[in-house]
Amino acid sequence: MELKQLLYFLEAAKYKNFTKASEVLHISQPALSKMIKSLEDELDMTLMVRSNKTSEITDAGFIVMQYAQKIFSQIDEMTTILNDLTELQRGTIRVGIPPIIGSLYFPSVMAEFHKQYPNISINITEYGGAKVVKSVVEGEIELGVAVLPVDEEMFNIYPIVEDQMKLLLHHQHPLADRDLIHLKELKDEEFIFYHEDFALHDIMWNNFIREGFQPKILFKTSQWDLMSEMVGADLGVTILPESICNRVENKHVNIIDIEPFTPWNLAVITKKDKYLSFAAKRLIEFFL
């Protein structure tokens, strides 16, 4: 059964006249009769009783007509919804954001986006950077905010933040008055560190290994404000992106440059060769 068969039958049933229906459909009357006859043959039922001037719909024809109307109503609704999506009237976007940075850049972006497109819902999942990347690959989320680098062959990459890492020390720490500290000088320190599923964990861990030591981890967390407060309580040291450091208000914490220079660059990522909704494309534009 084809949609065209149902469409032609609906027009014939509407006018109860093959000549009128064929004119509306811009086809010949024999072609219309042949299409409806093929539908009747397929269903093995008579749908219309034809006469010279008018045609009557059978009981079976009424049933087919009712279901055909429902089918075309659903198609019309689908088309409307798709048109709404392209005009950003409705939709849902699934986004993954690392919790350590979620409050820094994105509330204002989300607020502005919501003002312009109030009928689009944004489902935000807080994952560590590594899990954000994995979730984009698996299709759990449409787009994620990840720490660079990521696989450029696998992802579309839209850079949004360029930053660098800084050291946080208690203000009475022996190194607290320095302007620059090398990572090697921190081999005996106790660190407040990041959980393993955060991209920062591997980035900084690998940096320490390259300098010849493994950091001593006192405590692990995903909350940058807790990390800075623990430094302020003189429980250890930590390393955080400069943009996060700029929000630290604890007067007992000193923030110092470290070497070697460690970049912390963020990007919105999407999986290549995967359909991206119109709403998600527009949200990316708000990030950039």
Side-chain angles (χ1 to χ4, degrees):
M1 185 182 302
E2 297 177 359
L3 289 176
K4 184 179 289 187
Q5 291 174 306
L6 294 176
L7 176 63
Y8 285 9
F9 170 72
L10 277 179
E11 288 300 316
K14 176 181 177 181
Y15 293 104
K16 296 184 179 181
N17 183 289
F18 276 53
T19 301
K20 178 63 176 177
S22 63
E23 291 174 355
V24 172
L25 292 168
H26 303 292
I27 61 172
S28 67
Q29 184 175 329
L32 175 60
S33 297
K34 183 178 179 181
M35 183 68 75
I36 294 176
K37 182 64 168 60
S38 69
L39 179 60
E40 291 177 323
D41 290 342
E42 185 173 343
L43 295 174
D44 196 24
M45 288 186 175
T46 300
L47 302 179
M48 301 186 73
V49 178
R50 303 159 182 82
S51 66
N52 290 333
K53 294 184 178 180
T54 186
S55 298
E56 295 298 325
I57 304 170
T58 66
D59 290 342
F62 273 110
I63 293 174
V64 172
M65 183 177 68
Q66 289 172 351
Y67 276 91
Q69 288 170 336
K70 290 179 182 179
I71 290 170
F72 284 104
S73 175
Q74 290 290 311
I75 291 174
D76 288 341
E77 182 180 352
M78 178 188 70
T79 303
T80 299
I81 292 173
L82 290 174
N83 288 336
D84 284 347
L85 283 174
T86 62
E87 297 169 6
L88 297 181
Q89 297 300 311
R90 66 178 68 183
T92 300
I93 312 171
R94 292 164 291 124
V95 183
I97 298 177
I100 201 169
I101 60 172
S103 63
L104 287 178
Y105 309 102
F106 308 114
S108 59
V109 172
M110 301 300 184
E112 185 61 30
F113 185 84
H114 180 66
K115 286 179 184 177
Q116 292 199 31
Y117 308 108
N119 294 323
I120 297 177
S121 61
I122 302 176
N123 294 339
I124 299 176
T125 303
E126 288 190 309
Y127 285 148
K131 192 169 183 181
V132 166
V133 173
K134 184 173 183 288
S135 297
V136 171
V137 171
E138 294 176 348
E140 179 185 351
I141 56 179
E142 279 187 277
L143 59 90
V145 177
V147 179
L148 299 179
V150 296
D151 188 344
E152 295 184 4
E153 294 185 1
M154 183 174 293
F155 299 103
N156 298 307
I157 300 170
Y158 309 91
I160 56 175
V161 174
E162 291 185 0
D163 211 338
Q164 61 177 307
M165 305 301 292
K166 300 277 189 175
L167 175 67
L168 284 73
L169 297 171
H170 188 269
H171 71 115
Q172 293 182 340
H173 191 284
L175 300 174
D177 294 330
R178 297 267 296 276
D179 294 325
L180 180 67
I181 294 174
H182 198 284
L183 287 182
K184 289 180 179 178
E185 300 177 75
L186 303 176
K187 65 178 181 178
D188 295 324
E189 299 294 334
E190 291 184 319
F191 280 85
I192 295 99
F193 217 58
Y194 335 95
H195 285 301
E196 286 82 355
D197 59 346
F198 284 77
L200 278 176
H201 178 282
D202 289 350
I203 290 172
M204 291 312 305
W205 187 273
N206 291 333
N207 283 352
F208 289 128
I209 296 300
R210 280 192 289 270
E211 297 302 327
F213 70 98
Q214 292 186 8
K216 300 175 182 178
I217 308 300
L218 175 68
F219 188 78
K220 293 182 181 180
T221 180
S222 62
Q223 304 301 318
W224 66 264
D225 51 347
L226 178 58
M227 298 173 82
S228 62
E229 289 301 311
M230 292 183 74
V231 172
D234 202 18
L235 290 173
V237 305
T238 195
I239 296 175
L240 289 171
E242 183 176 16
S243 52
I244 292 179
C245 294
N246 292 338
R247 300 187 113 193
V248 174
E249 298 179 351
N250 192 314
K251 63 182 181 180
H252 299 302
V253 175
N254 284 15
I255 300 169
I256 300 169
D257 290 339
I258 56 173
E259 59 177 356
F261 173 83
T262 302
W264 187 73
N265 300 330
L266 301 179
V268 175
I269 63 170
T270 63
K271 192 173 185 296
K272 287 186 176 180
D273 303 323
K274 183 176 178 60
Y275 174 78
L276 193 65
S277 70
F278 295 104
K281 291 176 182 177
R282 185 54 56 89
L283 179 58
I284 291 173
E285 294 175 5
F286 271 70
F287 279 125
L288 301 180

